[in-house]
Amino acid sequence: MAYLTQPDFVRYVCSCGQLKPITNLYFCRHCLKIRCGFCICHEVDSHYCANCLENMPSSEARLKKNRCSSCFDCPSCFHTLSTRATFAQTRQDPAAGDAKVENKQAKKMYYLSCFNCRWTSRDVGIPDQPVASGGWPERPNPFSARINQLLDYYKAIAQQEKQEKLDRERKKFAIRGKYITLTDKTGLTGAMARNIAGLPSSESSSSAIANFVPSVASAEVEELPEDYHLREINLKQVTTMAQRLASPEWQPASVARLHPVARPLSVKRSQRCRACDHNLTKPEYNPGSIKFKIELLAFYHMPEVKIISHESVKPGQQSALLLKVSNPTSHEMALRLLPPDHQAETETDETTETHEKNEPKSIEKSLEKSLNLEKDTTWSKVIERKPQMPALSQICIPEVTLTLAQRDDAAEYDDDPQHDTSDIILWRKSNKLALRLKVSTDPSAEVGQPAQVALSLQYSYRNTVPPSAQSAQHRDHTLTTTVLLDLGTVCE
Amino acid sequence: MAQNIKILPGATVCEDCTLEGDITIGGGTVVHPRVTIIAEGGPIIIAEYCIIEEYSTIIHKKSDKQENPPKPLFIGAHNVFEVGCKLESPFGHIGESNVFECKSYVGVDVKIGSGCVIGAACQLTVPQSLPDNTVIWGSEHHNREALEKQPSQLLQLDFLSKVMPNYHRLRKPNLHKRQPSRPSQEGAKV
Ligand SMILES: [Zn+2]
Ligand SMILES: [Zn+2]
Ligand SMILES: [Zn+2]
Ligand SMILES: [Zn+2]
């Protein structure tokens, strides 16, 4: 049960140990594991402006400092500014007489206005523009020279470190004497290779480092004006912290100095399984489209559990729990309920095997790997954790295997429930199943503490990935997932 | 309650709205259907060129400290009452060119100057007086001071007064002589 405005009553345990509602989870069809936003690789596909939907490559976005050149945000409330047109009477001195009548045709002038807080570009004295888009005055950054200097410096340092690492790596292989490096083979020197690769030569980068002047802290601070503590302040004239931080270049202290903020770009993002490098989601390129080319959401592949209702949980007593389980896949699903500590051991063995298989690789690969921090595979050990399972309340697990029919959109329309009910099955309707379960609570449970129960589901899953040439994948799998149900608080 | 609804020529007032008590509606003002205006504590005078949208409520509340005869609630020209807003004011004066955005609420004992904007769903319940050109917005009731008054809605008014008669039954203006917009002008009634 996961909704926008409600707390998450049912949470699934991701393969990394995070607890997430099913709507926040992905399912890798290649690893057959649940993945969540925490344990997958996020990649930027394209940059676009969410207001005008202009698409741009990342190089251009970087050049524009990841901001749209034609859209602005309100500096006062951060809502998008709209362009408004006015008919400006061309100002003429009264002596002009007849010319005034002829020139009655008003000129269209444009200004920016916020529909939320009604801030306008006129409020801070930005003159109206004769064209609808573009041409708004830009305020120069007073520290641009220093920032560029710093950027050059850090770029040079990064360049140098990369170079050193590359050299070290090459030396390592040279000592072994077993492999021929690219430079040995072709007679290229390091400088030439750098030139070909379009990287700046080491001399220029060292000059940027040598010429850099670090900033010096100074004890001398400008004196505050005499009346600083005595002057009455008008809070409407003072900007808020958020308003100042929205334009870090100027950090205006007075509302009269607010300036439209160029709208930050949004990104289209694709997500990738870290273990097998397959895409989990890939959006369509067009920023106007909200569809996906690849969309492996857990919602489409795993049995979904919802709480219909439950009796309040009391220490030392049993309470009824009604669950609804639905099968979103287009194949029949066999379902077994298991106690939560029953983790699937077989699956973990498989993955370690594949890791070992991947180990022996060519030097190029290992060289690349050592240069590329993101490809580090130790991540899984770092982030993986065991979620804490509630122990005080337990579900009495019935020893049955249930079958869930495949999803059938047409079945929505016939509404007589099938009558194969039992003491566990409350009702059954196309791919949905209502279960009547019992929760027993330990007498030591404290009143007022959150009442939670865990439950593992073992379900059959048919893989619909077309089998690749190398690996003969079997299509039917038995997978296990653990859900955590939130049953309010322990009552008296 | 004595019904005394005065509609000046040029006003567009839909029939499907609740008007109770002593109410004067100025010329050029448009009152949408389903509007509630109740003058229980004293007369309500709405000046020219106001827009009062659907489901908005204007109440002149009865109060204990009322003067006798009761002071009218005077609503200045060019005010815009957006859909579902509510104004409960037992006293005084609402300036001109104010905007009461959708679902906003202005309670008792709030004085409103001119050119103010009460943002959507903003609730003013504490006794206060808003200086001219105050803009209030957002769930946290941020406020700022606008440089100039809100632009007038004359184009919109023009459009509404042309379109409204095609789709709604209207109340006929019952005052024929143009009045200066001043409170309590009983004599001019024809
Ligand atoms: Zn995860
Ligand atoms: Zn844009
Ligand atoms: Zn704004
Ligand atoms: Zn995977």
Side-chain angles (χ1 to χ4, degrees):
Chain A
M1 228 176 338
Y3 298 102
L4 278 178
T5 53
Q6 281 181 9
D8 302 315
F9 294 111
V10 178
R11 288 177 298 166
Y12 287 66
V13 180
C14 176
S15 52
C16 70
Q18 294 266 317
L19 294 171
K20 299 264 167 87
I22 194 169
T23 43
N24 285 14
L25 292 172
Y26 307 90
F27 183 83
C28 182
R29 288 200 297 182
H30 307 273
C31 311
L32 298 172
K33 287 201 167 211
I34 308 176
R35 304 282 180 210
C36 71
F38 187 69
C39 59
I40 54 181
C41 202
H42 301 260
E43 292 168 357
V44 172
D45 269 10
S46 63
H47 297 256
Y48 71 100
C49 170
N51 189 45
C52 63
L53 297 180
E54 197 192 285
N55 217 339
M56 60 180 82
S58 60
S59 56
E60 196 187 337
R62 199 177 308 136
L63 210 68
K64 290 178 170 175
K65 300 192 175 73
N66 292 321
R67 284 174 189 274
C68 180
S69 49
S70 47
C71 304
F72 294 94
D73 277 348
C74 173
S76 167
C77 72
F78 319 121
H79 187 258
T80 310
L81 290 174
S82 315
T83 310
R84 304 218 71 186
T86 49
F87 293 97
Q89 244 73 42
T90 31
R91 253 176 259 281
Q92 276 174 342
D93 48 314
D98 285 351
K100 201 173 179 179
V101 187
E102 279 168 37
N103 231 342
K104 198 87 193 223
Q105 204 162 24
K107 214 169 120 203
K108 236 182 181 177
M109 293 296 268
Y110 299 91
Y111 65 98
L112 296 170
S113 154
C114 171
F115 287 156
N116 185 30
C117 72
R118 314 238 172 186
W119 184 91
T120 67
S121 56
R122 293 167 165 184
D123 282 14
V124 290
I126 297 171
D128 289 4
Q129 296 293 310
V131 282
S133 65
W136 293 101
E138 266 176 54
R139 190 180 287 177
N141 180 358
F143 305 106
S144 57
R146 178 66 182 168
I147 288 209
N148 287 335
Q149 211 178 9
L150 283 169
L151 274 175
D152 286 345
Y153 175 64
Y154 286 118
K155 262 183 208 156
I157 285 192
Q159 190 63 54
Q160 203 178 38
E161 283 179 355
K162 203 169 177 184
Q163 190 56 46
E164 277 167 15
K165 197 164 183 187
L166 207 72
D167 286 344
R168 223 181 304 132
E169 207 67 45
R170 193 174 291 129
K171 229 173 258 165
K172 210 160 80 190
F173 285 114
I175 291 162
R176 274 203 219 161
K178 212 166 165 187
Y179 307 107
I180 308 160
T181 63
L182 185 70
T183 48
D184 289 346
K185 215 159 141 189
T186 55
L188 271 170
T189 64
M192 279 163 87
R194 266 199 293 280
N195 233 335
I196 290 166
L199 305 170
S201 64
S202 48
E203 285 82 51
S204 80
S205 68
S206 63
S207 82
I209 296 172
N211 293 344
F212 181 75
V213 194
S215 51
V216 184
S218 147
E220 274 167 53
V221 181
E222 232 177 277
E223 287 281 324
L224 287 174
E226 231 5 57
D227 58 346
Y228 188 78
H229 295 289
L230 305 169
R231 213 174 3 173
E232 207 174 308
I233 31 170
N234 180 359
L235 282 179
K236 284 181 184 162
Q237 298 298 321
V238 182
T239 52
T240 63
M241 214 57 191
Q243 285 168 348
R244 287 179 205 192
L245 295 178
S247 42
E249 305 99 308
W250 314 295
Q251 300 174 25
S254 141
V255 288
R257 297 286 295 161
L258 289 175
H259 198 269
V261 186
R263 197 185 159 84
L265 296 176
S266 308
V267 294
K268 282 236 164 190
R269 156 185 87 155
S270 62
Q271 292 166 307
R272 199 182 281 281
C273 175
R274 289 220 211 187
C276 69
D277 274 352
H278 282 96
N279 268 118
L280 294 175
T281 65
K282 193 164 185 60
E284 284 185 0
Y285 188 69
N286 174 17
S289 163
I290 56 162
K291 288 186 185 147
F292 287 86
K293 283 192 264 188
I294 300 170
E295 197 180 23
L296 297 178
L297 307 183
F299 197 70
Y300 297 137
H301 296 276
M302 285 167 44
E304 193 195 356
V305 177
K306 290 185 178 189
I307 300 174
I308 300 175
S309 68
H310 63 86
E311 285 176 358
S312 48
V313 174
K314 291 169 186 170
Q317 287 186 26
Q318 280 205 334
S319 40
L321 168 68
L322 300 183
L323 290 184
K324 187 166 95 175
V325 186
S326 48
N327 171 13
T329 66
S330 50
H331 304 282
E332 202 176 75
M333 190 179 265
L335 192 74
R336 235 158 66 93
L337 305 181
L338 298 172
D341 41 270
H342 195 286
Q343 294 285 354
E345 290 88 12
T346 48
E347 300 282 331
T348 47
D349 290 344
E350 247 173 61
T351 44
T352 45
E353 232 170 74
T354 50
H355 272 295
E356 275 159 31
K357 232 184 267 171
N358 286 349
E359 225 42 68
K361 270 188 180 159
S362 54
I363 342 153
E364 286 85 14
K365 274 277 171 68
S366 66
L367 190 79
E368 189 187 80
K369 205 176 212 174
S370 62
L371 288 175
N372 207 340
L373 279 167
E374 286 132 292
K375 280 274 142 60
D376 201 345
T377 46
T378 50
W379 62 271
S380 57
K381 313 250 155 358
V382 178
I383 63 167
E384 223 159 71
R385 66 195 66 188
K386 275 248 146 55
Q388 242 198 333
M389 284 294 152
L392 288 172
S393 297
Q394 262 152 12
I395 291 184
C396 311
I397 306 291
E399 268 299 320
V400 280
T401 302
L402 309 155
T403 45
L404 266 175
Q406 66 268 32
R407 195 192 52 175
D408 179 9
D409 291 330
E412 299 265 321
Y413 301 107
D414 54 53
D415 50 11
D416 48 356
Q418 285 140 294
H419 294 287
D420 68 330
T421 55
S422 65
D423 52 339
I424 300 158
I425 300 170
L426 192 67
W427 50 258
R428 183 191 275 280
K429 195 176 155 188
S430 79
N431 64 334
K432 297 178 197 75
L433 189 66
L435 296 175
R436 187 192 288 123
L437 300 171
K438 284 216 155 56
V439 178
S440 58
T441 309
D442 199 82
S444 66
E446 268 178 71
V447 172
Q449 292 297 106
Q452 291 180 324
V453 281
L455 172 71
S456 278
L457 295 171
Q458 195 182 65
Y459 60 99
S460 64
Y461 176 74
R462 174 160 294 179
N463 202 353
T464 47
V465 181
S468 57
Q470 308 129 11
S471 63
Q473 278 184 316
H474 31 239
R475 294 175 67 211
D476 291 300
H477 302 268
T478 305
L479 304 175
T480 311
T481 182
T482 306
V483 292
L484 206 69
L485 310 170
D486 190 347
L487 305 179
T489 50
V490 179
C491 304
E492 267 186 89
Chain B
M1 208 183 299
Q3 290 287 95
N4 186 13
I5 317 290
K6 284 154 283 181
I7 300 171
L8 273 91
T12 311
V13 181
C14 290
E15 204 173 77
D16 184 21
C17 52
T18 314
L19 306 178
E20 283 175 18
D22 186 355
I23 298 165
T24 309
I25 295 171
T29 288
V30 172
V31 179
H32 284 70
R34 295 255 132 221
V35 165
T36 307
I37 303 174
I38 299 173
E40 57 175 24
I44 295 180
I45 296 154
I46 298 169
E48 301 86 3
Y49 306 112
C50 290
I51 301 178
I52 303 175
E53 292 184 357
E54 291 86 347
Y55 296 104
S56 41
T57 309
I58 298 171
I59 304 175
H60 186 176
K61 276 242 166 129
K62 226 181 244 169
S63 83
D64 306 332
K65 318 171 267 194
Q66 209 141 50
E67 295 157 48
N68 204 7
K71 239 172 121 188
L73 165 61
F74 182 79
I75 294 171
H78 298 283
N79 280 306
V80 179
F81 294 86
E82 291 185 2
V83 176
C85 71
K86 195 166 183 187
L87 173 73
E88 283 182 7
S89 183
F91 78 105
H93 194 95
I94 304 274
E96 46 188 53
S97 300
N98 297 301
V99 181
F100 298 84
E101 287 188 5
C102 300
K103 287 272 180 187
S104 60
Y105 172 78
V106 175
V108 179
D109 288 334
V110 182
K111 267 192 187 133
I112 290 174
S114 290
C116 295
V117 179
I118 319 296
C122 285
Q123 310 253 336
L124 302 187
T125 48
V126 180
Q128 59 192 302
S129 71
L130 298 188
D132 287 1
N133 299 345
T134 303
V135 182
I136 296 175
W137 80 91
S139 53
E140 287 165 50
H141 295 77
H142 296 285
N143 66 72
R144 52 177 287 267
E145 192 185 334
L147 194 71
E148 50 193 14
K149 269 187 200 159
Q150 296 308 309
S152 71
Q153 298 273 6
L154 284 176
L155 281 174
Q156 172 80 351
L157 272 166
D158 231 37
F159 175 76
L160 285 173
S161 55
K162 275 197 198 105
V163 164
M164 283 291 222
N166 300 341
Y167 301 96
H168 294 283
R169 288 174 191 281
L170 300 182
R171 298 191 187 212
K172 294 230 161 53
N174 49 15
L175 281 188
H176 293 299
K177 221 161 105 195
R178 214 171 207 309
Q179 286 182 314
S181 49
R182 279 196 139 259
S184 60
Q185 290 252 320
E186 293 290 307
K189 213 173 161 193
V190 182

